[in-house]
């Protein structure tokens, strides 16, 4: 497999059933709401470590300005930055990383919407002249990411790269927008590892796995 193919990420096929819930520990009150363990936590961590290697190679001697997309991206961002720091400490190539956060809203329930809303300050002038790594947990059509990158470019960064833990396989998928991909997955709604459903599942054991959701959302 060539380098581009490797960086495309681990491809999970449409017929992948995931792992039985009986193999894992998870909150009992989610028993009726989750369908399967899709990607175990250990596999996620190993893949993130590999992505950190790619990033270190590409950024050369340039320090990294990380722009983390909240809320879903925070766990991925924390683990990715930590791997970059560990790799730097274990080599003669230590890159300074600074992390800034941006919060977007483009989903309603489980559907991606057309509009991008930046919550909080839209002034990203601190990106000017910097080598920027945008970190996002999940990307599907790329509408949100395209809008964000267009906004970022107005502040004239030196370089912009995108790391996406999950890229959904949908029509007009955003594969070309993402420089570093963890996993290419079918068009299924997933939660866990800081990904939520209308803020629900935030207390899911995110240290264990990404869990595929069978939408049987409880009433309150």
């Amino acid at each position: 497999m060539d380098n581009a193919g490797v960086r495309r990420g681990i491809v999970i096929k449409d017929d992948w059933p995931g792992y039985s819930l009986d193999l894992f520990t998870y909150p009992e009150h989610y028993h009726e709401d989750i369908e399967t363990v899709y990607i175990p936590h250990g596999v996620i961590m190993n893949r993130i470590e590999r992505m950190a290697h790619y990033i270190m190679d590409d950024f050369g001697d340039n320090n990294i300005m990380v722009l983390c997309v909240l809320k879903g991206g925070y766990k991925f961002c924390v683990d990715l930055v930590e791997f970059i720091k560990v790799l730097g400490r274990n080599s003669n190539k230590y890159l300074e990383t600074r992390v800034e956060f941006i919060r977007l809203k483009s989903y309603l329930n489980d559907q991606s919407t057309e509009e991008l809303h930046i919550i909080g300050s839209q002034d990203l002038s601190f990106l000017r002249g910097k080598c920027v790594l945008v970190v996002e947990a999940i990307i599907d059509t790329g509408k949100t990411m395209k809008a964000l990158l267009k906004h970022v470019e107005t502040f004239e960064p030196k370089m912009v790269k995108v790391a996406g833990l999950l890229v959904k396989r949908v029509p007009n998928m955003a594969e070309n927008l993402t420089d570093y991909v963890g996993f290419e997955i079918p068009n299924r709604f997933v939660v866990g590892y800081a990904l939520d459903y209308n803020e629900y599942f935030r207390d899911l054991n995110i240290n264990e796995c990404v869990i595929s959701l069978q939408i049987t959302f409880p009433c309150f």
Side-chain angles (χ1 to χ4, degrees):
M1 183 180 293
D2 61 20
N3 192 52
V6 171
R7 295 193 183 202
R8 179 188 175 195
I10 297 173
V11 178
I12 298 178
K13 297 182 178 181
D14 290 342
D15 59 356
W16 167 239
Y19 297 94
S20 169
L21 294 173
D22 294 335
L23 299 173
F24 299 90
T25 301
Y26 64 97
E28 186 63 28
H29 58 275
Y30 289 139
H31 181 74
E32 299 297 327
D33 303 312
I34 52 180
E35 176 186 341
T36 183
V37 175
Y38 218 46
I39 311 172
H41 179 255
V43 178
I44 293 172
M45 296 300 288
N46 196 280
R47 181 58 190 165
I48 294 174
E49 182 178 9
R50 189 60 180 157
M51 294 169 74
H53 279 277
Y54 300 146
I55 292 165
M56 292 280 286
D57 290 343
D58 288 352
F59 276 74
D61 296 325
N62 295 294
N63 292 329
I64 306 175
M65 172 64 73
V66 178
L67 187 62
C68 174
V69 180
L70 296 173
K71 294 182 181 179
Y74 84 86
K75 180 64 176 171
F76 172 41
C77 180
V78 167
D79 289 334
L80 179 61
V81 170
E82 183 59 27
F83 275 124
I84 291 172
K85 290 181 177 180
V86 169
L87 290 172
R89 287 195 294 266
N90 293 335
S91 69
N92 58 358
K93 181 183 176 183
Y94 185 80
L95 301 183
E96 179 182 340
T97 55
R98 172 183 167 187
V99 181
E100 296 287 345
F101 300 93
I102 186 169
R103 188 175 174 189
L104 311 176
K105 187 170 180 62
S106 62
Y107 264 81
L108 180 63
N109 297 325
D110 62 334
Q111 298 298 315
S112 179
T113 64
E114 296 285 341
E115 297 182 5
L116 171 70
H117 300 283
I118 298 178
I119 301 173
S121 175
Q122 298 191 26
D123 181 11
L124 304 180
S125 56
F126 55 83
L127 300 180
R128 184 164 286 110
K130 300 293 195 302
C131 293
V132 179
L133 176 66
V134 179
V135 176
E136 172 66 289
I138 188 164
I139 303 171
D140 43 38
T141 63
K143 293 175 183 177
T144 301
M145 185 55 65
K146 285 179 183 176
L148 175 58
L149 292 177
K150 183 177 180 180
H151 183 63
V152 166
E153 289 290 353
T154 64
F155 296 97
E156 301 178 341
K158 180 180 179 180
M159 176 175 71
V160 181
K161 298 281 189 179
V162 177
L165 179 63
L166 305 175
V167 173
K168 283 189 178 182
R169 196 162 48 249
V170 296
N172 302 315
M173 64 182 291
E175 182 182 3
N176 293 334
L177 288 177
T178 315
D179 301 283
Y180 316 103
V181 177
F183 303 87
E184 180 187 301
I185 65 173
N187 188 19
R188 302 184 69 180
F189 196 79
V190 292
V191 295
Y193 198 68
L195 294 172
D196 72 299
Y197 178 76
N198 280 1
E199 300 299 324
Y200 195 58
F201 296 103
R202 286 291 184 196
D203 63 330
L204 192 62
N205 186 355
I206 60 174
N207 292 319
E208 189 164 277
C209 53
V210 172
I211 294 182
S212 180
L213 176 65
Q214 184 177 33
I215 303 296
T216 54
F217 196 68
C219 297
F220 291 94

